[in-house]
Amino acid sequence: MVKVLYIAGWGRSGTTIVDNILNSHQTVFSTGELFYLWRRGLMQKRKCGCGDQFTRCALWREILHVAWGDRQPDLRHLTDLQQRVTRVRHTGALLSGPLSDEADEYRRVLTRLYHAIAEVTGAELIVDSSKVPSGAALLPQMRDIEPYLLHMVRDPRAVTYSWMSTTPQPDRRKPTTMSRHRPADSTLHWLVWNAYAGRLARTYPGRYRLLRYEDFAAAPRATVAGLLDFTGVHGGTDPFLDDTTVLLAANHTVSGNPGRFRSGPVELRPDDRWRRDQPIGPRLTVTALAWPMLHRYGYPAVTGRLREQTAA
């Protein structure tokens, strides 16, 4: 059995740093956002987390060889297949009934890949931070896979603030910046992706955990120890130097936030700049749209600068 911890949720929710910390344990291997292996890694030849061009990374070359030998899969077919099978809106269908022939084909491709990753790395736990709910819906249906789901959520106003910021994207051949999302767009994605991730809990009986970024940031060492205990993995030597400082190891992540390229000692602090710097307009927009689900995750409707301005 191959243990796989899938991280689901909308982007900018702290998944990359949690992913990197887990990867820094000796018995854990993180793939990063494995969902983007075919297009970003192999077709666009972006950088692996180790810094090499993905197609030149010796570890991933070995993984792909173990999975498929000299007959590598047709990348265009796989990207088209992925597009048809694993759109976020397909999550419900993947959960509710027998898989279509195409969904079953893609399930078998991923199963083969996870097993090859486990064989080459020797990891007790594979972490896949793809975040896409449809990928998490397929995981429990894979042969000889022991699936776990970590659903990460963050205050949608903080998420929107991050998506509106200009973020460098250094993994392309010509460095550029990541795409940005307007407040309404980011919040609608936050609502839909988290709603689907929440629905997946019943598919992971005893193996689903909800984690708020804010709770992780308040106690990172204890939170990560809890996640390893949740999956039944010891992890080996603790990479934490103290309760809030971690020694990040190099990684071989396929894709993700630029923070995946960090290594060495990192001091972990809550990122709450949005409370001070976010303009009132975007904050009101996000609060109004996300209102139905704010309470579910324990977020107040009025906070920080918005409280001050409404009080005035």
Side-chain angles (χ1 to χ4, degrees):
M1 297 293 290
V2 176
K3 286 188 177 184
V4 179
L5 174 65
Y6 193 101
I7 304 179
W10 179 229
R12 309 299 176 91
S13 296
T15 57
T16 298
I17 186 59
V18 170
D19 189 21
N20 284 0
I21 294 172
L22 287 168
N23 177 77
S24 299
H25 288 78
Q26 293 171 323
T27 61
V28 181
F29 177 79
S30 172
T31 67
E33 296 176 359
L34 191 64
F35 183 85
Y36 300 104
L37 171 68
W38 321 115
R39 184 175 299 280
R40 294 182 186 175
L42 296 173
M43 294 180 72
Q44 297 178 358
K45 300 180 180 179
R46 298 195 190 182
K47 289 182 180 179
C48 173
C50 67
D52 284 342
Q53 185 183 89
F54 190 83
T55 53
R56 295 177 182 171
C57 174
L59 180 69
W60 279 105
R61 288 167 66 93
E62 184 179 358
I63 289 170
L64 293 170
H65 181 76
V66 167
W68 286 284
D70 294 328
R71 299 186 63 183
Q72 294 297 301
D74 184 322
L75 296 180
R76 190 159 299 281
H77 170 69
L78 285 181
T79 54
D80 290 344
L81 182 66
Q82 183 186 62
Q83 179 79 0
R84 292 193 297 271
V85 169
T86 61
R87 299 289 292 271
V88 173
R89 64 172 179 262
H90 297 151
T91 305
L94 294 172
L95 288 172
S96 61
L99 297 180
S100 66
D101 289 343
E102 288 190 324
D104 186 61
E105 178 186 355
Y106 193 65
R107 177 190 61 82
R108 286 184 280 109
V109 167
L110 286 182
T111 304
R112 197 168 182 173
L113 183 59
Y114 282 129
H115 280 275
I117 293 168
E119 180 178 337
V120 172
T121 65
E124 289 184 47
L125 176 69
I126 296 169
V127 181
D128 180 351
S129 60
S130 291
K131 296 192 285 292
V132 185
S134 53
L138 276 176
L139 190 62
Q141 305 182 60
M142 297 183 189
R143 184 176 180 180
D144 295 329
I145 296 291
E146 187 176 315
Y148 294 82
L149 180 61
L150 176 62
H151 175 191
M152 285 200 67
V153 65
R154 186 181 184 187
D155 191 306
R157 291 155 293 206
V159 171
T160 291
Y161 177 79
S162 180
W163 276 117
M164 292 180 69
S165 303
T166 300
T167 305
Q169 188 168 39
D171 64 350
R172 293 178 179 265
R173 290 184 227 181
K174 293 183 178 179
T176 181
T177 57
M178 297 185 72
S179 59
R180 297 195 288 176
H181 289 274
R182 295 179 180 274
D185 181 57
S186 171
T187 308
L188 290 173
H189 277 83
W190 183 89
L191 288 165
V192 171
W193 286 49
N194 284 309
Y196 274 127
R199 281 187 60 189
L200 289 164
R202 70 188 71 172
T203 312
Y204 288 78
R207 294 177 181 170
Y208 166 90
R209 177 164 292 190
L210 175 67
L211 174 62
R212 301 193 320 166
Y213 163 80
E214 294 80 5
D215 297 329
F216 157 74
R221 188 177 200 171
T223 300
V224 172
L227 291 176
L228 291 173
D229 184 62
F230 163 62
T231 59
V233 173
H234 178 262
T237 303
D238 184 0
F240 278 89
L241 305 178
D242 57 42
D243 286 344
T244 58
T245 305
V246 63
L247 188 63
L248 293 181
N251 64 70
H252 290 276
T253 49
V254 173
S255 184
N257 188 283
R260 69 191 179 98
F261 293 107
R262 288 192 296 179
S263 61
V266 174
E267 184 178 357
L268 304 170
R269 299 178 180 177
D271 182 1
D272 55 5
R273 291 169 294 172
W274 66 277
R275 295 182 182 274
R276 180 188 68 248
D277 299 335
Q278 188 174 51
I280 190 68
R283 188 173 301 196
L284 285 171
T285 298
V286 176
T287 301
L289 290 174
W291 190 284
M293 289 179 69
L294 286 176
H295 179 71
R296 176 183 297 184
Y297 298 121
Y299 296 122
V302 181
T303 181
R305 187 177 174 188
L306 181 57
R307 180 183 289 117
E308 294 170 6
Q309 294 194 18
T310 52

